[in-house]
Structures are given as structure tokens and as C-alpha cells.
Amino acid sequence: MHGLSDVFTLNNGYKIPCLGFGTYLAENEVLINAVKEAINIGYRLIDTAAFYNNEKALGDAIKNSGIAREQLFVTSKVWNTDRGYKQTKAAFEKTMEKLKLDYLDLYLIHWPANKKQFNNAEEINAETWKAMEELYLEGRIKAIGLSNFLPHHIEELKNTAQIMPMVNQIEFHPGFTQMDTVKYCQRNNIIVEAWSPLGRKEALANDIIKSLAKKYEKTPAQIILRWIIQQNIIPLPKSVTASRILENSQIFDFELNNNDIEMISGLPQAGGECANPDEVDF
Ligand code: A2P
């Protein structure tokens, strides 16, 4: 990985930028300005979701960015209340209307339906996925995938899926690496994306991260993002602060050695939500 324009290739051949821009908890003018900043700096992958309540503002920001549509990689996600075949299709149309786009680069199921809440969780996920597959085959979406799916959810999906997911976006930061899921995805040609890569910024205060920042003459955020990218995982740091948006993109001029990567991988919990998709009740 040498720069912001580097890409990974998904299992259907479509290219995805190696670093993304997260937008959770950013709305309205703040979001618009942050996206403008990010695009100017060179971010091309922008990650949103129906749940973030910012698709309309993001659509405005993209429209006014002056950059060609095909230069950007836009991701959104179907929210939990819209699971199922018909609902997913309708939710997708709403998302596209708000984003003002005629195709989406990547559409994800935001969370799997779980057995704690639904007796027929497997069936619900299968129906949601069927809608995603059809939208993909119609050319409305360039790639389809999952978010917060554990290996057993993906195994269940395989019983009915015609198309294997291309991406799984999971919570991933120091102290919460979900390595079983990462390994499962990487074995199965599913690219992993990391949400809350900075553990909602708590991980930045960790002493080991701080000492590595000193050693490499980088910032704690840059150390963590580099650690993620060196594992072939796409970090999606969220920031609405111009200096941090820039800082988070400057991770291509150094490399962590293997010992340091392992040291970070072994850290105890450092922030984030540490959500268990089988246990959540939303
Ligand atoms: P802000 O958006 O106000 O700039 P995560 O992506 O792990 O969920 O973390 C997001 C949080 O981390 C936000 O509060 C964001 O603040 C903050 N943040 C993002 N990048 C940096 C950075 N380079 N240094 C310090 N804080 C950061």
C-alpha cells in the first residue's frame, strides 16, 4: 500500500479503495464540509448508511464535489427495520433518491437478524440477501456485502445465496479485533472493512500506541490505521475535523514491523462498542 489511490480487488473484480472515510454521527453542514475536505485530500471511499441520517447531505456533497461519479466509491447499508425482500428493495430506492446517484458502489446488510430477536433469523437474512443479489444483477449496485456478520451468519447465508458477499464491515480496533471473523472472511475472499478503527478515539490514549507513535514519529491514529491496513483490512476512520481528516490519510509513508503489529494485536480492550451481533437487541 503506497497511497490513498491504492485499491483492493473484490471477489467480483471490482476495485475498492484501501482507506475509507466514515460518516457516522456527522450530519448536515458539518457532514457536507467534512466530505468536501476528504474528497479534496484524496479520499474516494465514503461510507454511510440509511441509519446515519446523512444520505441526503452526502448526496449534496457528492453532487457539488466537482469530481466524476466513477472516481468515487460510495457505500450505504440497509437498516435493521428494513430487512426482508420487499423492504430491502424499497429501502434501496430511498437511499438512492437521497444520495442522488444512479448506481451505488457497495450496499451492505447493516446487521444480521439474530436468533435472540427472531425465530426465523436465518430466513430473514436470506430474504434480505436475495433482494441485494437482484439489485446487483440488475447493475444497480457494483458490489454487495454484509456488516457485523459473524462466520456462522455467513455460513447460514450460504445455504440459499447465489452470490457470495464481497465485503464484511465489522468493528475492529485495538483490543477488539474479532480475529475469527477476519480469518474466516479472508479465507473466503471477503474483504474486511473496519468500523470504529480508532475505538471511538479511546484507543488513541493507550500507552503502547503512544510509545509506538513516538518511535515511528507518527500520531497514535496513524499507527492504528497503518496496523489495520497492513492486515489487508480497510479502515473507515470518521472525523469531521479538517486536520484529522488529513492526518488519517497520511499513513502511506511508513511501515510497522511484525513485532509491533503483533504487539498492537495483543492489546487489551481500548474503547469502542465491542458489540456482539448475536446479542444486540436493535
Ligand atoms: P472528530 O470527528 O470530532 O474529528 P472512530 O472512527 O473509531 O469511530 O473514531 C471517531 C472519533 O475519533 C471521532 O470522535 C473523531 O473526532 C475522532 N478522531 C478521528 N480521527 C482522529 C485523530 N486523528 N485524532 C484524534 N481524534 C480523532
Side-chain angles (χ1 to χ4, degrees):
M1 291 291 139
H2 306 294
L4 253 178
S5 56
D6 285 349
V7 291
F8 291 111
T9 303
L10 300 173
N11 65 28
N12 67 341
Y14 201 61
K15 310 269 193 227
I16 183 167
C18 64
L19 175 69
F21 184 66
T23 65
Y24 183 42
L25 299 177
E27 292 178 27
N28 305 321
E29 279 307 303
V30 173
L31 183 271
I32 291 178
N33 289 331
V35 169
K36 199 169 152 194
E37 197 67 39
I39 291 176
N40 278 342
I41 287 168
Y43 288 84
R44 292 294 175 261
L45 194 182
I46 303 169
D47 184 89
T48 185
F51 181 70
Y52 299 173
N53 200 29
N54 62 15
E55 287 175 314
K56 196 173 167 300
L58 176 56
D60 292 341
I62 290 172
K63 209 166 184 194
N64 297 326
S65 68
I67 205 160
R69 165 68 185 97
E70 57 279 9
Q71 298 283 309
L72 292 174
F73 188 106
V74 184
T75 303
S76 193
K77 315 181 189 87
V78 56
W79 182 239
N80 302 354
T81 46
D82 287 320
R83 293 181 182 120
Y85 178 77
K86 270 194 182 155
Q87 296 90 323
T88 296
K89 288 213 164 169
F92 176 73
E93 297 305 333
K94 271 193 202 147
T95 278
M96 296 307 281
E97 206 176 292
K98 287 181 181 161
L99 287 171
K100 297 168 275 292
L101 298 176
D102 57 5
Y103 72 90
L104 195 63
D105 294 278
L106 177 64
Y107 200 40
L108 307 176
I109 304 181
H110 208 145
W111 292 85
N114 64 22
K115 295 198 167 71
K116 186 180 172 195
Q117 295 181 74
F118 303 98
N119 292 328
N120 60 339
E122 184 174 338
E123 199 184 311
I124 296 173
N125 292 328
E127 289 294 302
T128 307
W129 188 246
K130 188 166 169 243
M132 313 262 297
E133 289 180 328
E134 287 185 8
L135 291 163
Y136 170 72
L137 291 172
E138 287 163 12
R140 308 285 310 278
I141 314 171
K142 301 295 183 185
I144 50 177
L146 311 168
S147 184
N148 302 301
F149 273 58
L150 301 175
H152 77 88
H153 300 122
I154 304 177
E155 282 298 304
E156 285 161 14
L157 205 64
K158 275 189 188 168
N159 292 330
T160 52
Q162 308 291 313
I163 299 170
M164 274 299 280
M166 288 127 209
V167 167
N168 190 18
Q169 181 180 132
I170 60 172
E171 181 175 1
F172 186 98
H173 47 79
F176 195 74
T177 57
Q178 309 202 67
M179 270 333 277
D180 288 350
T181 301
V182 170
K183 281 189 189 145
Y184 171 91
C185 289
Q186 294 186 335
R187 262 202 321 274
N188 285 279
N189 252 320
I190 299 170
I191 293 273
V192 177
E193 293 184 320
W195 66 261
S196 262
L198 308 175
R200 296 256 192 277
K201 86 177 172 203
E202 276 180 63
L204 303 174
N206 178 278
D207 284 340
I208 296 207
I209 299 289
K210 284 205 278 196
S211 71
L212 288 171
K214 238 185 212 146
K215 171 174 166 184
Y216 287 93
E217 298 182 338
K218 301 298 283 186
T219 67
Q222 289 166 337
I223 296 291
I224 293 173
L225 297 173
R226 185 70 207 180
W227 163 73
I228 296 176
I229 234 170
Q230 280 185 230
Q231 297 173 80
N232 293 324
I233 296 173
I234 300 174
L236 305 171
K238 174 263 170 186
S239 175
V240 294
T241 313
S243 58
R244 291 171 176 165
I245 298 171
L246 178 64
E247 175 187 334
N248 295 344
S249 74
Q250 293 172 327
I251 56 170
F252 299 100
D253 55 355
F254 74 113
E255 201 161 324
L256 298 169
N257 70 37
N258 286 338
N259 280 347
D260 292 336
I261 288 182
E262 276 170 32
M263 187 153 69
I264 302 173
S265 296
L267 287 178
Q269 197 207 318
E273 290 184 27
C274 305
N276 178 347
D278 279 328
E279 293 299 327
V280 299
D281 46 20
F282 49 83

